[in-house]
Amino acid sequence: MTSPSIENSESSHMEIPMRPIAYIHSDFKEKFGIPRQSGLASTKAEIVFVPPYNKPEAVRGLEGFSHIWLLWAFSENIKQDGSWSATVRPPRLGGNVRMGVFATRSPFRPNPIGMSCVELEGITMEKEGPVLHIVGADLMDKTPILDIKPYLLYSDSRPEATGGFVGETEFHLLKVKLPETLTATMSEEEQKALIEVLSQDPRPSYQTDSERVYGMTYRDMEIRFTVTGDVLTVIG
């Protein structure tokens, strides 16, 4: 028995239309510094729907779920020529080892689709429609959302799952020092979120220069910092 050929199938080259149903409003105005996975920092964000998907009945029942899945587009990484690479360099492996793109969550994919599991803190009804208030998103501000699905505890939770090459590497957090001039302007909740973001080491894995000053935009601030050993110090 031979396998059916997909190569000559009419469906192999079919176009699947997709359009954003919503956009996210987050504290990350640029790609640098965004947590590498969702749920690693308690940063807050809002999801605002666009017509015709901004109907209150479209989110009826969603308030009963503590977490949701977001399917979204890597809008800053779309290659117009459609090119892609079969292998990528995961940051967790120091950026020096190539792995298959489908064994990673790299943003550089054949189709620029991302997914995130976030906490649903609440839903409010505004003039423009329902707004989802979420915690733990790893999305840049104004990222287009393609779909939203509820997190199902009985099927989505897999305690027996293995982590492949990711599970075999240590997730090391940096110690973060914030200046008093910054903490004086932030609530404890805001400080906690910022520390969680910075502790994950926003630097590219190949950069370890302790003298270099790095900068990232977070909320309405341009944060400058250095890293020496396992300590990240915000200097301005």
Side-chain angles (χ1 to χ4, degrees):
M1 185 174 179
T2 59
S3 301
S5 174
I6 304 178
E7 214 170 283
N8 298 322
S9 169
E10 292 182 5
S11 63
S12 63
H13 300 293
M14 67 182 294
E15 292 187 2
I16 303 176
M18 286 191 183
R19 57 186 63 86
I21 63 167
Y23 289 87
I24 194 166
H25 295 283
S26 76
D27 291 330
F28 300 104
K29 309 304 179 183
E30 60 184 17
K31 291 184 290 184
F32 185 79
I34 296 178
R36 292 188 173 95
Q37 300 295 338
S38 59
L40 297 181
S42 53
T43 51
K44 297 191 175 186
E46 296 179 348
I47 294 175
V48 178
F49 292 86
V50 297
Y53 312 105
N54 58 340
K55 301 181 185 299
E57 55 267 33
V59 298
R60 184 184 300 156
L62 192 62
E63 71 280 355
F65 294 90
S66 66
H67 292 74
I68 56 176
W69 288 103
L70 304 179
L71 299 179
W72 45 278
F74 285 104
S75 52
E76 296 296 307
N77 291 332
I78 297 177
K79 292 186 176 181
Q80 300 301 325
D81 61 359
S83 62
W84 67 286
S85 174
T87 61
V88 295
R89 302 176 187 268
R92 289 292 296 274
L93 297 180
N96 299 315
V97 181
R98 284 195 169 273
M99 288 289 178
V101 64
F102 300 128
T104 75
R105 294 192 177 184
S106 168
F108 303 99
R109 319 187 66 78
N111 292 306
I113 299 174
M115 66 176 187
S116 300
C117 181
V118 298
E119 179 184 351
L120 178 60
E121 192 174 49
I123 304 175
T124 58
M125 294 298 169
E126 309 295 342
K127 183 173 65 174
E128 66 271 20
V131 176
L132 307 187
H133 302 269
I134 61 174
V135 180
D138 54 340
L139 286 76
M140 191 170 72
D141 188 45
K142 297 182 176 61
T143 292
I145 307 297
L146 302 176
D147 201 5
I148 296 169
K149 300 177 185 291
Y151 177 92
L152 302 180
L153 184 61
Y154 75 91
S155 62
D156 293 348
S157 177
R158 299 294 186 187
E160 74 281 6
T162 57
F165 69 86
V166 177
E168 298 169 3
T169 58
E170 181 182 358
F171 188 70
H172 181 70
L173 295 177
L174 300 176
K175 298 175 183 176
V176 178
K177 293 183 177 181
L178 301 179
E180 290 185 6
T181 53
L182 178 59
T183 57
T185 65
M186 305 177 72
S187 67
E188 290 186 6
E189 185 179 53
E190 291 169 338
Q191 291 179 46
K192 178 177 180 291
L194 177 58
I195 289 173
E196 289 172 341
V197 169
L198 295 175
S199 68
Q200 297 169 47
D201 198 347
R203 300 174 301 167
S205 55
Y206 55 83
Q207 292 183 358
T208 58
D209 183 2
S210 61
E211 300 297 322
R212 179 166 180 168
V213 177
Y214 300 87
M216 62 173 280
T217 302
Y218 179 72
R219 302 182 66 187
D220 56 350
M221 301 175 288
E222 181 69 26
I223 297 175
R224 294 182 297 120
F225 64 91
T226 60
V227 180
T228 302
D230 64 348
V231 178
L232 182 150
T233 304
V234 174
I235 61 173

